[in-house]
Amino acid sequence: MTENGEHHSALPYFIVWVALVILTVTTYRTGRMHLGTWALPLALTIAVTKSLLVILFFMHLWEQKGANRIVIGTSFVFVALIISLTVADVATRFPLATPAGAPFGSDIPAQLEEPAPEYQPPAGKIGEPPRGVPEPK
Amino acid sequence: MSEAAALPPGEHLVHGTDPHLAHHFSSLERQVDASRLGMWLFLSTEVLLFAGLFTGYAVYRYSFPVAFAASARTSEIWAGTLNTIVLITSSLTVALAIHFVRAGRQRAAVVCLAITLFFALAFLGIKAIEYTAHFHEHQLPGRYYRFEGVRLPGAEMYWALYFLMTGLHGLHVVIGMTVLAVIAWRTAHGYYSAHYYVGIELAGLYWHLVDLIWIFLYPLLYLI
Amino acid sequence: MRQSEEDREKLGAPPAHESYLTDGTTVMSWLNTRDHKRVGVMFLVAVVFFLFLGGVFALAIRMKLLYPGPFLFDALTYNRLFTLHGVTMIFLFMIPAIPSAFGNFVLPLMIGARDVAFPRLNLASFYVYLAGAVLAVWAMVHGGADTGWTFYTPYSTTTPTMLFPLLLGVFIIGFSSIMTGINFIVTVHTLRAPGIGWMRVPLFVWGIYATSVIQVLATPVLGLTVLLVALERVLGFGIFDPARGGDPVLFQHFFWFYSHPAVYIMVLPAMGVISECVATFSRKNPFGYKAIAFSSLGIAFVGFFTWGHHLFVAGQSVFDNGVFGVLSMFVGIFTAVKVFNWVGTMYRGAISFKTPFAYICGFLFLLVFGGMTGVALATVALDVHWHDTYFVVAHFHFIMVGAVIMGFLAALHYWFPKMFGRTYHEGWGLVAASLIILGFNATFIPQFLLGNNGMPRRYYQYPEHFQALNVASTAGATLLGFGFIIIFIYLVIALRWGPRCEQNPWRSKGFEWLTPSPPPTHNFDKIPHITQDPHDYRTHAPSGVYTDV
């Protein structure tokens, strides 16, 4: 209501729409290409670009007051916060404490190829520090 | 969504005779700013709501990368892609509706809102087809999972997250559609004008958020 | 009476007997009000009711704990009681109490506004709160919830007790919290009177603003979390079920991402109240206005980075333990900044030892001990010993009761004349305050000792050698209960028969005291133009604040 900017033409909206469609096609094509580790960062980059286009131009955040930008920006920061620290937990846990002993399907096979080696107690007499075992610091 | 409150008895307007101005705001501009800020705050709550689901997705995707990739490949990618285009276009039409109202072209605005509603229905229709397909293939969450094509641990998690995320998103589509329908009716009956169009603007913001969430859901659930 | 009559003339206010209380006396005029003051009073009545309800549950728990073996009721009932106590106190009392009751009443007055930004949303937030609260209490009473207020999986997803309506009730109350938060943020941004820039906003408003930011950002995650538990119970989605590949600890991440900032939702408004009262009852400018204001925002922000300290022994990775342990230390810095500022404000001030000041003293003492034990608990190595013992229980009650409820009571006594135009009996006020502070310490200091000696929390039975301390704790709880009952009695008496007071009985420089007590419905006939800082007690400060707008 307060912006008396360039609203004589609807062209900017169509341009943004075209850009969004192009980005959608891009993410579809790259998604089918099975890029391995780069698939996720690429997909997220494209998604973030698309969302910036929607937020800044369709939702007019480009023209609006700072408070609105801080609000939505802060919420995205906190999304990053909850995801990063929670994934960091699962990623750095002692493996048997992860869900269902995950990660499955990675280089850890679901079944061992060979049977586990038999347990050998460390050499030495009871009461003495065992040989072949690192000294506690 | 923020037209003037009926004045309590014995109250008098501070100044101005604008019927949209509420008694506790010093100017209509202030009031509109307040409405916008309120809406952006509400949108940020919606973002945080989905954040939890994205966190769950991140955690389980990290834990079960093969199952997630395999399950994603068995999803209806055509439906997801088409739905993305549908939602993006509906965002365009709702932005155009606001544009037309600001230009004083009420009828064009109503047409745009009607098209938006049509696209929203199309989205839900495609989703319904998808869900039916998943039900037939027994690609269901948690303990109902029976799909023979992917028999890895973690596939159940993928489908649980799939249905949770798209389900919650679909609920927001329905809410958005309801809001847009009400707004379309009000626009058609002259409630908004170039001078005062806050209702459409706020409804549009909500609809754009629905689109935004899908922009992130699509690659994560369907493609990678 | 002279000063208030002069002020009234300046404001062009109506005569003393007309106010928001008399403007419409039907039930519908209250139930359908748009007036933030009436909404605040309705919230106040509701939260006080739930405070007493939660207190009844607490006393039931403490009665049982007089004896180490089975006594009064069985273990399942005991589990339900501590769940009832936790849910009632936290969701039905602590989260809404100061913001929705006092914030609603006082915040618009403090910034020279006629109402909050969205008055109908305000009324809606009250009804949503009530709906959720009624549903939650109904659920808990009708055979629900023995999980504790923390609903940890996998027990909460598999317990045979009825959880779904309780989860729904909590979900609904969350919406009320979000509505209030949005309303206050927009109000502070857009409805400040001319002359009230951001650095002239009263410190209570800063506290409420920071609280609202947390409410808006954190509560949705709680909503999602209870939704996920409900869906897992009803539909078996298995997000937290290890048999499906799920992770029960993920629930704890989600739950505490809200619930840790939630404790700052509870404490920040209390700190705001204390900031106001310290300045008023020391008749001295705040030692560091900006420090207190920015530390409120600091607590709100940093509070989001610390949730993992509730998961130290839950199976969280060592890496995350370290990260959260360090980050948790930072929150203490901001609280310390505030404590030093309050003490610095009181130093060489002209102390007026009224009832609110008694609560300030209790607050400061107990906040410091509660906060320090919090920092101690945030040390991972120590938490391994103390986790899930009464040490933790004592710590959070020091903050929740010792700080937050003291703040609530200070607010109640400080703004009682403003809200109802009457004063209460000061002598009984001090008696009750003493009882509460003494009773509180007698209740919870033994619990520190119990916890350190190894008594686990939420246990129905305990070893014999813990009995003496448990009996001491229950005795203290009874004293505490008496204190509350006394407060209730003299305040209700004051409501009906208390002497009418002047506009500003505390001679406070707070902006809310510029309106009559109680205020008229529309707060100000002319929106004031403020030319002085809040809490400005310098004798040479300009006294006139009004010009025609």
Side-chain angles (χ1 to χ4, degrees):
Chain A
M1 204 238 123
T2 54
E3 311 109 26
N4 42 15
E6 308 75 49
H7 274 277
H8 309 294
S9 156
L11 189 59
Y13 296 118
F14 284 101
I15 296 176
V16 171
W17 178 78
V18 168
L20 285 171
V21 172
I22 291 175
L23 284 170
T24 307
V25 171
T26 313
T27 198
Y28 171 76
R29 301 289 296 274
T30 54
R32 303 304 298 272
M33 286 193 316
H34 301 307
L35 296 170
T37 353
W38 287 108
L40 182 63
L42 179 62
L44 281 177
T45 311
I46 298 176
V48 166
T49 313
K50 287 166 76 176
S51 57
L52 278 173
L53 283 172
V54 172
I55 291 177
L56 291 174
F57 299 111
F58 278 170
M59 299 168 94
H60 295 286
L61 197 62
W62 185 249
E63 305 151 356
Q64 285 188 13
K65 302 167 69 128
N68 298 346
R69 293 182 214 169
I70 294 176
V71 163
I72 203 72
T74 309
S75 64
F76 281 115
V77 165
F78 282 100
V79 173
L81 171 71
I82 186 176
I83 293 180
S84 56
L85 280 173
T86 311
V87 173
D89 173 25
V90 179
T92 52
R93 272 191 212 166
F94 176 57
L96 289 181
T98 51
F104 277 112
S106 62
D107 45 57
I108 299 175
Q111 270 141 23
L112 292 175
E113 316 294 11
E114 321 142 328
E118 200 162 314
Y119 173 66
Q120 301 289 343
K125 291 201 336 219
I126 295 174
E128 285 175 13
R131 284 188 289 277
V133 170
E135 297 279 312
K137 293 196 183 61
Chain B
M1 281 179 191
S2 74
E3 55 276 6
L7 297 177
E11 182 53 271
H12 57 281
L13 275 172
V14 175
H15 54 261
T17 53
D18 191 321
H20 297 290
L21 179 62
H23 75 294
H24 55 287
F25 278 103
S26 55
S27 70
L28 192 65
E29 179 183 343
R30 239 334 132 84
Q31 179 176 314
V32 169
D33 280 344
S35 304
R36 281 201 195 117
L37 178 60
M39 193 62 197
W40 279 104
L41 283 164
F42 178 67
L43 294 184
S44 66
T45 69
E46 296 279 16
V47 168
L48 264 299
L49 182 73
F50 279 89
L53 287 173
F54 282 107
T55 310
Y57 175 89
V59 164
Y60 291 126
R61 189 199 165 81
Y62 177 87
S63 304
F64 305 112
V66 173
F68 268 54
S71 297
R73 254 171 260 140
T74 64
S75 64
E76 309 283 330
I77 300 183
W78 68 268
T81 315
L82 185 58
N83 266 341
T84 312
I85 304 288
V86 163
L87 273 185
I88 291 175
T89 316
S90 71
S91 266
L92 170 70
T93 51
V94 92
L96 284 175
I98 300 173
H99 166 80
F100 284 132
V101 169
R102 290 173 69 172
R105 298 168 55 181
Q106 310 278 61
R107 278 238 317 252
V110 176
V111 167
C112 281
L113 285 173
I115 299 176
T116 312
L117 279 169
F118 165 75
F119 278 127
L121 270 170
F123 178 91
L124 288 176
I126 299 170
K127 261 268 147 283
I129 297 174
E130 248 188 299
Y131 275 21
T132 319
H134 294 320
F135 272 95
H136 279 151
E137 299 283 337
H138 300 289
Q139 289 163 319
L140 294 169
R143 62 174 176 219
Y144 303 105
Y145 182 75
R146 298 276 181 277
F147 183 55
E148 298 292 323
V150 177
R151 302 181 68 187
L152 293 167
E156 302 165 347
M157 275 302 132
Y158 171 86
W159 288 106
L161 281 163
Y162 172 88
F163 278 99
L164 276 169
M165 293 167 96
T166 57
L168 193 60
H169 178 261
L171 176 66
H172 283 77
V173 170
V174 171
I175 296 173
M177 274 178 59
T178 316
V179 168
L180 281 173
V182 169
I183 295 295
W185 186 92
R186 293 170 78 111
T187 312
H189 287 76
Y191 277 72
Y192 304 115
S193 64
H195 166 69
Y196 182 81
Y197 55 91
V198 175
I200 315 180
E201 193 174 348
L202 298 189
L205 282 177
Y206 190 82
W207 189 254
H208 290 305
L209 181 82
V210 167
D211 182 23
L212 265 177
I213 294 167
W214 184 262
I215 285 174
F216 281 96
L217 284 186
Y218 166 61
L220 293 177
L221 287 177
Y222 290 92
L223 292 181
I224 52 171
Chain C
M1 291 302 281
R2 242 183 15 129
Q3 177 206 345
S4 55
E5 273 166 11
E6 276 174 17
D7 288 335
R8 272 200 214 100
E9 270 180 33
K10 275 193 211 157
L11 289 174
H17 58 273
E18 279 181 33
S19 71
Y20 79 97
L21 287 168
T22 56
D23 184 8
T25 49
T26 62
V27 171
M28 276 313 290
S29 73
W30 276 87
L31 295 181
N32 196 27
T33 182
R34 308 282 168 72
D35 185 0
H36 65 99
K37 301 183 288 299
R38 286 194 166 191
V39 174
V41 169
M42 291 198 289
F43 261 112
L44 184 62
V45 170
V47 301
V48 166
F49 172 75
F50 288 116
L51 172 64
F52 275 92
L53 194 63
V56 164
F57 300 140
L59 278 171
I61 295 171
R62 290 269 24 120
M63 287 301 143
K64 189 273 146 220
L65 289 173
L66 280 173
Y67 292 96
F71 175 61
L72 282 183
F73 38 76
D74 66 348
L76 180 61
T77 311
Y78 180 80
N79 291 356
R80 290 211 181 106
L81 274 170
F82 68 66
T83 309
L84 262 167
H85 171 66
V87 171
T88 308
M89 281 305 200
I90 291 178
F91 292 115
L92 275 54
F93 173 70
M94 305 272 280
I95 299 272
I98 300 179
S100 300
F102 298 110
N104 255 320
F105 196 99
V106 158
L107 188 139
L109 297 175
M110 279 184 168
I111 57 172
R114 288 196 188 288
D115 209 315
V116 290
F118 307 120
R120 288 177 300 175
L121 190 69
N122 208 9
L123 184 68
S125 79
F126 176 68
Y127 285 121
V128 169
Y129 161 78
L130 216 51
V134 164
L135 184 58
V137 174
W138 179 88
M140 287 188 283
V141 166
H142 280 80
D146 57 340
T147 57
W149 81 278
T150 48
F151 303 120
Y152 274 14
T153 54
Y155 186 61
S156 62
T157 47
T158 54
T159 176
T161 55
M162 183 171 63
L163 220 57
F164 187 81
L166 175 60
L167 295 172
L168 186 61
V170 171
F171 186 79
I172 293 173
I173 293 176
F175 272 113
S176 170
S177 197
I178 291 175
M179 289 177 186
T180 306
I182 292 179
N183 224 337
F184 284 156
I185 294 177
V186 178
T187 306
V188 177
H189 273 265
T190 58
L191 283 174
R192 282 170 285 125
I196 305 189
W198 279 99
M199 287 297 117
R200 259 199 202 148
V201 159
L203 288 170
F204 179 66
V205 177
W206 275 110
I208 296 287
Y209 182 80
T211 306
S212 304
V213 169
I214 306 177
Q215 281 177 303
V216 164
L217 288 173
T219 316
V221 179
L222 175 77
L224 181 75
T225 311
V226 295
L227 183 70
L228 287 176
V229 173
L231 284 174
E232 187 153 336
R233 283 180 69 81
V234 171
L235 291 175
F237 270 30
I239 294 282
F240 306 121
D241 184 0
R244 312 261 153 246
D247 185 10
V249 178
L250 185 65
F251 169 85
Q252 296 188 31
H253 277 289
F254 287 162
F255 180 81
W256 288 110
F257 185 83
Y258 164 76
S259 298
H260 190 80
V263 314
Y264 298 114
I265 296 177
M266 303 183 229
V267 105
L268 276 169
M271 290 175 165
V273 172
I274 296 300
S275 297
E276 294 284 327
C277 291
V278 163
T280 303
F281 292 95
S282 316
R283 295 208 67 74
K284 195 156 159 283
N285 295 27
F287 185 78
Y289 169 90
K290 281 191 184 156
I292 301 183
F294 287 123
S295 64
S296 300
L297 291 177
I299 292 177
F301 188 65
V302 176
F304 273 96
F305 290 78
T306 62
W307 79 87
H309 62 235
H310 300 269
L311 281 69
F312 277 158
V313 298
Q316 188 173 245
S317 71
V318 173
F319 172 77
D320 258 23
N321 276 359
V323 167
F324 282 118
V326 168
L327 289 173
S328 302
M329 299 293 168
F330 285 106
V331 176
I333 298 176
F334 297 107
T335 310
V337 163
K338 285 183 185 275
V339 170
F340 284 124
N341 269 285
W342 292 320
V343 172
T345 306
M346 293 194 292
Y347 178 66
R348 303 190 85 172
I351 304 290
S352 166
F353 205 103
K354 303 286 185 195
T355 308
F357 193 81
Y359 287 115
I360 293 173
C361 295
F363 175 95
L364 277 175
F365 180 77
L366 299 171
L367 178 75
V368 167
F369 275 96
M372 290 199 299
T373 51
V375 171
L377 280 164
T379 312
V380 183
L382 296 175
D383 189 54
V384 171
H385 177 60
W386 285 325
H387 180 78
D388 265 353
T389 66
Y390 265 85
F391 194 91
V392 178
V393 174
H395 154 70
F396 65 69
H397 280 93
F398 259 71
I399 302 285
M400 298 290 112
V401 183
V404 178
I405 292 196
M406 299 283 161
F408 176 80
L409 292 171
L412 187 58
H413 289 78
Y414 180 55
W415 282 314
F416 189 87
K418 166 91 335 200
M419 292 169 79
F420 303 111
R422 297 177 186 270
T423 48
Y424 48 85
H425 192 284
E426 181 62 34
W428 279 108
L430 288 174
V431 164
S434 316
L435 262 180
I436 288 197
I437 295 174
L438 274 167
F440 171 84
N441 279 301
T443 311
F444 291 105
I445 290 179
Q447 292 190 9
F448 274 125
L449 300 170
L450 278 170
N452 197 42
N453 287 335
M455 179 173 171
R457 61 187 286 204
R458 295 178 172 170
Y459 268 43
Y460 177 65
Q461 298 182 39
Y462 56 83
E464 293 261 347
H465 58 273
F466 288 138
Q467 183 173 18
L469 285 171
N470 270 295
V471 171
S473 181
T474 303
T478 319
L479 269 179
L480 191 56
F482 276 128
F484 278 108
I485 292 175
I486 293 177
I487 295 180
F488 183 76
I489 292 175
Y490 70 70
L491 282 182
V492 167
I493 290 176
L495 263 178
R496 182 70 183 82
W497 295 286
R500 287 200 185 273
C501 67
E502 52 187 315
Q503 176 170 321
N504 191 356
W506 310 118
R507 299 280 184 272
S508 167
K509 296 286 188 182
F511 297 150
E512 75 275 21
W513 298 99
L514 297 170
T515 60
S517 303
T521 306
H522 48 277
N523 295 348
F524 310 93
D525 262 3
K526 299 192 258 288
I527 297 293
H529 182 100
I530 302 292
T531 54
Q532 69 181 38
D533 286 337
H535 329 292
D536 194 350
Y537 292 90
R538 295 168 296 170
T539 48
H540 57 275
S543 58
V545 297
Y546 291 122
T547 61
D548 274 56
V549 170

